[in-house]
Amino acid sequence: MKKFNLRKVLDGLTSASSSSPASPQPGNRENDTIQETLQCEHFQLCKTVRHGFPYQPSSMAFDPVQKILAVGTQAGALRIFGRMGVECYCQHESGAAVIQVQFLINEGALVSALSDDTLHLWNLRQKRPAILHSLKFSRERITFCHLPFQSKWLYVGSERGNIHIVNVESFSLSGYVIMWNKAIELSSKAHPGPIVHISDNPMDEGKLLIGFESGTVVLWDLKSKKADYRYSYDEAIHSMAWHHEGKQFICSHSDGTLTLWNVRSPTRPAQIITPHGKQPKDGKKPEPCKPILKAEYKTTRSGDPFMILSGGLSYDTVGRRACLTVMHGKSTAVLEMDYPIVDFLTLCETPYPSDYQEPYGVVVLLEKDLVVIDLGQIGYPLFESPYPLTIHESPVTCCEYLADCPVDLIPALYSVGSKQKRQAYSKKEWPISGGNCGQGAQSYQEIIITGHADGSVKFWDASAMMLQVLYKLKTAKVFEKYRSKEGALDEDPFAIQMLSWCPESRVLCVAGVSAHVILYRFSKQEVTTEVVQLLEVRLQYELIDVESPETGGDPGPPPSTPGGPSSPPPSTPQPHPSTGSGSPDGPQDSAPCLRVRSSPLKQSPGYQVELVIQLVWVSGEPPQPITSLAVNSSYGLVVFGNTNGLAVVDYLQKTVLLNVGSHELHGSSEPYQKQPRSPRKTRQPSGGLCDINEGSAPPEDRCKSPTSACHCIHRCFVSLPAKVSRKLSLPSDLKPDVSVLSVCPSWATIPPDGKENSFSHSGSSSATSIDRESREAITALCFSETFARKGDSATTPCLWVGTSQGAVLVISLSLPPAGEQRLLQPVTATPCGSLVRLKGSILRMGLLDGTGALLPPACELWWDHNTPDGAEEREGQPRRRPAAGTSPSSQEAGESHFAVVCSEKQAEVLALPSLSSPFKQGVTEASFALRADTLQLNGAPCLACFCANGHIMALSLPRLRPLLDVNYLPLTDMRIARTFCFSNNGQALYMTSPTEIQRITYSQETCDNLQEMLSELFTPVETPEAPNRGFFKGLFGGGAQTMDREDLFGEAVAGKASQSLAQHIPGPGTVEGMKGAASGVVGDLARARIALDERGQKLGELEERTAAMMASAESFSKHAHDIMLKHRDKKWYQF
């Protein structure tokens, strides 16, 4: 490898010397002296945690002792929640929907029933739950399961109406079967339908209540193996529930009624209730309502029982949202939900069904949310959820991930975000409070930023394997309310397309699908902005020839002499933007897609808008979506590009510095320049990852520019001739198309410069449009302070530009001194031509210093621009820039840089300022890279890539040695490509579903410590004591009756079940080993050790109970002896 690299270095020396023999080559001399510390053993890929709401939930269960909640999904996933920070994700390999979940209460285990007729037993006593046993039914379809409290026998109801019994310890079937025909006998002539409910009588475990879908209910005696009572109703049954005394039960039906039955009166229901039905005055039957999908019946010691139900609304409530009804005594509360109800369950104080339930909350699982209602307070308020379940409140359109952020950033965001909570939540603590958080070994803080379709931006604290919302920014407040019209933009005109964030200065820049860019600055003070400052930019690709009649578009303003300053803008604003006179789409020209609000904007503490930049319609064509974005707080610049070209904006002076087409960045003699194709008359909408529909904006008044707008416009155009002269002095003879620049077009037409000039590299002087497929889009941007040109002896501020055709170009920036002069003197941007061309579109560019360390862009520390103290503090802060040589002497001492460029197909490292290419590596041949980034891991740089074929790769820097290549995840959804992002310290994430974020790590160190960082689901908790039956109930047998189910269902009595009925499958998860599942002798030893530990724990508890009983017996003996001594010598008549 060393010989190969040396040869490339020599090749670079030869080529560089042949082109410029006088140029020094210090970078090449040091290529082999850089020591790369990262090795293959530092990398390992694994999933860490999953955040967000379970996508497409289907079922739910709660352990009232452990206080943990399990949610099953239609994709076969299990999500388990406890206290804040306690989350766990499990996945069934089959991917079948989870139709029901049952906890083994306080046992650290869970049973899941899937739509493919399999049962799985999960072990929750380990940090990564694993399946212990599976049972696959072959001749029956599972419809309902019931596991009584403190029982090892699971009742399984089938679609045929039969009930099978499974031993959850061995996961074997019992020979005891309840057949449907024997259960109903002659009570019904037809098949009763599938089993929809199974439960045992709270007061008698030997009585089993069986509900069939057709409306038939059977009370089955397990010992005598026959039905005690049969109940029949005309309407189909959806759910059933017992009264805790075991004398009554309720059924919910498909006609919106609840029937209350006395156990010993099977002929007719004791009461029929229609909660939402209109009661006719003539005593007739109420009108039918929608089905009551589920009902629960919970009792209290001190008041009326609770009846809680979902559904049952009247059919005339069309369009009404889903509701949960709480009936308590004579009051009925209807609670509207934001989404349809999937399932709900009531939280009770006791796990024993034979005791007063004392409900205190209701967990409601919705299609896109999870809420918990407080039953103990008036109005039934919600508990405040500690989980990050609102990620999908609006669809996520982009993500950014920052590991190892400044320590003061999260507290600052939390302080302003805590003031945004306005909803009145319950004062009680979150009731799902089980488990223990992991002991995080990470000492750094992490932040995730999500952009959403409604224009909102959310900041999340992602430290210590948790996720908590910090702050929410609504960018749509900057604009007027959007009125959707036919042919206009899509339904999400404010959707965030990309983000650029400087965490040190807290400057945030967002780009939206309506071709708008908004720049925000962070402040702790509330301000009212009278007029939002606005720049409108015409970013146009093709060169418009005024002699060509083919375009039919806007010929634009009349050309003027290159001496632009001789034609100042008018002094009075016009009510509408200037439009072309000869275009059929003239009213749309120079108009942006959205209208900035003209009324004062009250901005709360947090991120406050500084500047709005909008691209406008050109020649009847809407602006193209923004494809790249970057902001630099040290330079005060924001840059963005699309398929038309590039624009550089000075957000401090509110001026446009540079506005050019991507082909203009190349010189006429550039080897990497692409010639435009022949013109055509019609244009097609551009494709891309986030396409928007073409549309028109009404020719309404544009938001007027601020008071200094006239000064900004004048300054911008006055400085243009100087820029032109600088560019003309270059060998490539670059000339800008100044006609495409329009700042604040609410003013009258501004005479442009150089409209009539032809370009030396143009394919045809009459070319007015090109095939959009051939346009060279701007795909990557990077600010840096390095060598701008070949052979430079000093570093200067630069902007690196990458295009969709693989070209890398450099724009040199000339900045005035900091302070007041920065606000008065203009900034100049000079294109320096292209450096290199790679295969595929450019994805990422980065800089390394001469030692091979990452060279971050310059930045400034945050200061509050709304306070006088903040301005004074900023004056005392030096501009933070990376250390770089500024003289030939420092360069001779070893100051050289390396530029890292990665495209869809390959990666290359350039030595600066020699521009030699010592290292080059192909990324992928059969596929293409979607995301790439230069990162730090263990204090050393690396290049990470995510490819469309699912491979995640890592290359060393600067040598580009392959360190990791894992086939992880095939690209099944464009959402993954849009949201996948890497971060430092071996972290990465992506949206695995529309509602969930999956975090992964490619660091071996993190994988080794992951076991300690994960949360614990099971914690040792004492099971509550059984309810006291009282003296008389114990004397006369009025309490709950127990039954030894082993005597009924055991193999010795019931025999073996048919082997063709179900197949037992041993689970892969047994005991946690060193890094997961253990096997062989190690697994047996670990299993035996855990069994011994559990046995020792049980023996210890038994010993304590025995000692307590002995002490009690000794005390009783002593008292009996004292009584005997007291009455020993007394006669019978003395008592």
Side-chain angles (χ1 to χ4, degrees), residues 212-217 230-237 251-261 266-269 271-274 285-286:
F212 296 91
E213 188 182 57
S214 64
T216 301
V217 179
R230 296 181 179 89
Y231 315 83
S232 182
Y233 194 71
D234 295 337
E235 298 294 335
I237 295 175
C251 302
S252 67
H253 299 277
S254 58
D255 63 345
T257 60
L258 291 173
T259 54
L260 179 64
W261 297 83
T267 55
R268 64 177 182 271
Q271 188 178 1
I272 301 176
I273 306 170
T274 309
K285 188 177 181 180

Side-chain angles (χ1 to χ4, degrees), residues 50-54 79 81 84-85 87 369 385-392 460-461 465-469 995-997:
R50 181 173 293 201
H51 303 295
F53 181 76
R79 294 284 301 279
F81 300 92
M84 184 178 69
E87 293 184 51
D369 201 0
S385 174
Y387 311 136
L389 301 180
T390 59
I391 294 175
H392 64 287
W460 305 83
D461 180 7
M465 294 292 176
M466 294 191 293
L467 193 68
Q468 186 177 12
V469 66
T995 63
E996 296 168 291
I997 290 178

Side-chain angles (χ1 to χ4, degrees), residues 131-303:
I131 294 177
L132 297 177
H133 302 281
S134 298
L135 197 63
K136 170 70 174 178
F137 284 80
S138 56
R139 295 186 299 177
E140 298 270 20
R141 299 298 306 265
I142 300 174
T143 57
F144 193 88
C145 298
H146 170 64
L147 181 65
F149 178 49
Q150 294 182 327
S151 170
K152 68 175 183 179
W153 298 97
L154 174 72
Y155 301 102
V156 181
S158 70
E159 191 176 41
R160 294 183 179 180
N162 305 323
I163 296 178
H164 303 276
I165 301 171
V166 178
N167 186 332
V168 294
E169 290 182 351
S170 61
F171 240 54
S172 58
L173 274 176
S174 168
Y176 192 111
V177 182
I178 303 175
M179 305 300 292
W180 68 269
N181 52 358
K182 192 173 182 180
I184 66 169
E185 288 187 348
L186 301 178
S187 61
S188 175
K189 297 181 180 179
H191 190 279
I195 300 287
V196 296
H197 180 84
I198 306 172
S199 62
D200 48 350
N201 190 313
M203 288 297 180
D204 190 354
E205 296 178 352
K207 308 293 183 181
L208 198 65
L209 191 68
I210 307 170
F212 296 91
E213 188 182 57
S214 64
T216 301
V217 179
V218 174
L219 186 65
W220 181 264
D221 190 318
L222 293 170
K223 294 181 179 179
S224 62
K225 299 183 180 181
K226 65 179 182 179
D228 286 351
Y229 301 101
R230 296 181 179 89
Y231 315 83
S232 182
Y233 194 71
D234 295 337
E235 298 294 335
I237 295 175
H238 285 276
S239 70
M240 301 171 65
W242 278 102
H243 187 280
H244 84 278
E245 293 181 346
K247 298 178 181 178
Q248 291 181 328
F249 63 89
I250 62 170
C251 302
S252 67
H253 299 277
S254 58
D255 63 345
T257 60
L258 291 173
T259 54
L260 179 64
W261 297 83
N262 290 326
V263 172
R264 298 182 181 274
S265 301
T267 55
R268 64 177 182 271
Q271 188 178 1
I272 301 176
I273 306 170
T274 309
H276 299 285
K278 297 179 180 179
Q279 300 291 338
K281 296 181 180 180
D282 54 3
K284 294 183 180 180
K285 188 177 181 180
E287 296 180 0
C289 297
K290 297 178 182 178
I292 298 178
L293 301 178
K294 186 176 182 180
E296 292 199 350
Y297 193 16
K298 303 298 180 181
T299 56
T300 60
R301 296 181 186 274
S302 57

Side-chain angles (χ1 to χ4, degrees), residues 397 497 687-692 930 971 974-979:
T397 54
Q497 195 166 8
L689 201 59
C690 300
D691 290 341
I692 61 173
L930 293 168
L971 182 63
M974 291 304 295
R975 176 186 60 255
I976 299 175
R978 190 174 61 247
T979 59

Side-chain angles (χ1 to χ4, degrees), residues 36-45 937-938 961-964 1002-1008 1075:
E36 294 183 346
T37 58
L38 287 180
Q39 303 298 329
C40 296
E41 55 266 21
H42 294 132
F43 291 85
Q44 182 182 349
L45 190 68
L937 177 65
N938 299 338
R961 290 182 298 109
L963 299 174
L964 176 73
Y1002 50 92
S1003 167
Q1004 176 67 49
E1005 182 181 359
T1006 304
C1007 292
D1008 292 341
K1075 294 182 179 179

